Amino acid sequence: MESVWGTRNRGVLKNNVFHVTFQPVFQGGDPIEMRIPETAEKIHLFGSEFDLPEKMERGFFRTFLLKEILPPWYHFFSRSESLRAFCMFLAASGPDGRTVFRGKVVYRGESGKDQWNSEFHFRCLVTPDGRIFDDTRGSADADPAHPWKLSDTFQNLPDGPVLRVSERLKYYKGLVRTNVQLPFLSLPPYRPQLLTEIQLNRSTMERYLHHAKNEASGKNFALWKSPDELRQFIGKLEKLKTGMSPEEAISILGPPDGSIVDAPRSPHSENSSRKFLRFAFLRHQENRMDAGDLEITLYFPRDEKSGKYVLSSIH
């Protein structure tokens, strides 16, 4: 038996989509080089369609084998099963030190001759302090007052940025959880600042409060504060420092509209006890959170050494 030494490729432009196919060859070959037509806007690779980079963007396409299950040689009727990821990343750096990357990830599962795909699109902003935020505008979980949310899918770790994979295999029902390294994305080191998320969403929150009052002239809110009050409150937030206690934060901000202690679900839980201070600016109903409410939350995890709650982040 011989190993595959190279590939033979073919590209065809159909409308604005560049279709690329690969065929293995059993002889020596050079690295693949293929010129993409200037009129192409998308590329079709491995059965899926991806955007091509625009001006000032860099494009990176990667494939990852996430899981492969091969039955024992004596199981003649068992199916092999695999899970792969096909990823296109389009990145651009801005003059303000921020990086924007977008693209699509396609997960493809195969079991015997059966094949299925699941995919998701993403657009993320990386701030100068190394934090990655999802642009939720237009998505199902979009918040009109907080369009930028800290990403759970992408993380900037000390070893570099990663894609967090959590996908289920179809027949074996196995759950694949892993971090895929993305070394081609050059991001600033992770040094989070307390008000990064608030500053990203500040103008949106102010507009939201302004429109809510104007569009609901005949409606009585349980609580409504003006954009000026929001700006004054953010000015107070700037006096906070990481590691402060809830009591120190309250002495600067004033009493919160709610306080919650989230204890671990079990003694063996990975999450330690946490405390939240909630400051409300728009509430539709008294003592109840509804979609469309606007709050700023301070997060205090419990320090294992001192046993005290310390300020970690603000959302």
Side-chain angles (χ1 to χ4, degrees):
M1 298 182 66
E2 296 184 56
S3 299
V4 177
W5 285 88
T7 60
R8 184 179 295 115
N9 51 287
R10 178 174 179 264
V12 178
L13 181 64
K14 298 179 181 179
N15 296 324
N16 65 340
V17 181
F18 190 50
H19 292 254
V20 179
T21 56
F22 300 99
Q23 178 184 0
V25 293
F26 295 92
Q27 58 187 4
D30 298 322
I32 297 174
E33 292 185 5
M34 181 178 292
R35 183 176 296 277
I36 300 175
E38 293 183 1
T39 56
E41 298 177 3
K42 298 179 182 293
I43 190 169
H44 193 274
L45 284 170
F46 303 108
S48 298
E49 197 172 279
F50 302 89
D51 289 338
L52 286 170
E54 298 178 353
K55 292 182 179 179
M56 308 305 294
E57 283 186 325
R58 293 167 296 139
F60 307 91
F61 182 82
R62 294 291 188 275
T63 66
F64 305 98
L65 176 61
L66 302 174
K67 185 73 174 182
E68 187 172 35
I69 301 174
L70 299 176
W73 64 268
Y74 52 84
H75 277 212
F76 301 104
F77 301 103
S78 298
R79 296 177 172 183
S80 61
E81 189 161 355
S82 65
L83 180 67
R84 295 179 181 272
F86 302 87
C87 317
M88 177 67 86
F89 297 86
L90 309 174
S93 300
D96 54 359
R98 297 178 180 181
T99 300
V100 176
F101 66 92
R102 63 185 180 92
K104 183 171 76 169
V105 176
V106 177
Y107 295 115
R108 176 169 300 160
E110 294 183 353
S111 181
K113 295 182 179 180
D114 295 340
Q115 184 183 104
W116 61 95
N117 289 348
S118 65
E119 63 180 50
F120 73 91
H121 296 258
F122 58 86
R123 183 175 184 272
C124 298
L125 174 68
V126 185
T127 51
D129 62 353
R131 302 178 80 184
I132 303 176
F133 293 88
D134 289 327
D135 184 358
T136 65
R137 290 172 294 186
S139 64
D141 60 345
D143 184 338
H146 298 89
W148 295 101
K149 292 186 177 180
L150 197 62
S151 180
D152 290 326
T153 307
F154 297 96
Q155 282 194 336
N156 193 6
L157 301 179
D159 295 335
V162 298
L163 164 66
R164 300 181 64 193
V165 176
S166 180
E167 279 291 309
R168 187 171 294 280
L169 297 170
K170 189 171 183 180
Y171 293 104
Y172 284 89
K173 307 300 181 184
L175 181 62
V176 178
R177 284 182 174 171
T178 185
N179 287 342
V180 176
Q181 297 287 335
L182 308 174
F184 48 86
L185 289 179
S186 179
L187 304 182
Y190 183 74
R191 296 170 182 168
Q193 303 296 316
L194 273 178
L195 292 186
T196 300
E197 186 171 346
I198 298 300
Q199 296 295 357
L200 275 180
N201 293 299
R202 178 174 180 171
S203 59
T204 305
M205 291 189 291
E206 291 177 1
R207 289 195 301 270
Y208 185 71
L209 286 175
H210 178 75
H211 293 319
K213 191 66 173 180
N214 290 343
E215 294 178 3
S217 57
K219 181 176 181 178
N220 292 323
F221 292 109
L223 174 68
W224 183 87
K225 295 179 182 178
S226 69
D228 287 337
E229 290 177 287
L230 175 63
R231 284 191 287 268
Q232 293 171 8
F233 183 79
I234 293 177
K236 295 179 181 179
L237 288 177
E238 295 174 352
K239 301 177 182 179
L240 301 181
K241 296 181 180 179
T242 303
M244 279 187 169
S245 67
E247 293 74 22
E248 290 174 316
I250 291 174
S251 68
I252 296 173
L253 304 175
D257 297 287
S259 176
I260 300 174
V261 174
D262 182 18
R265 297 181 179 179
S266 70
H268 306 290
S269 175
E270 295 181 358
N271 295 326
S272 60
S273 177
R274 302 170 294 178
K275 188 170 186 176
F276 301 89
L277 298 182
R278 296 159 54 183
F279 296 85
F281 293 86
L282 177 65
R283 273 188 181 170
H284 291 78
Q285 299 186 43
E286 190 71 33
N287 299 324
R288 176 180 171 181
M289 284 288 294
D290 286 337
D293 289 355
L294 172 56
E295 290 192 347
I296 292 179
T297 304
L298 278 63
Y299 168 55
F300 298 82
R302 188 172 183 175
D303 182 72
E304 295 182 358
K305 294 182 178 180
S306 65
K308 299 179 179 179
Y309 294 104
V310 294
L311 179 61
S312 172
S313 59
I314 302 176
H315 305 280

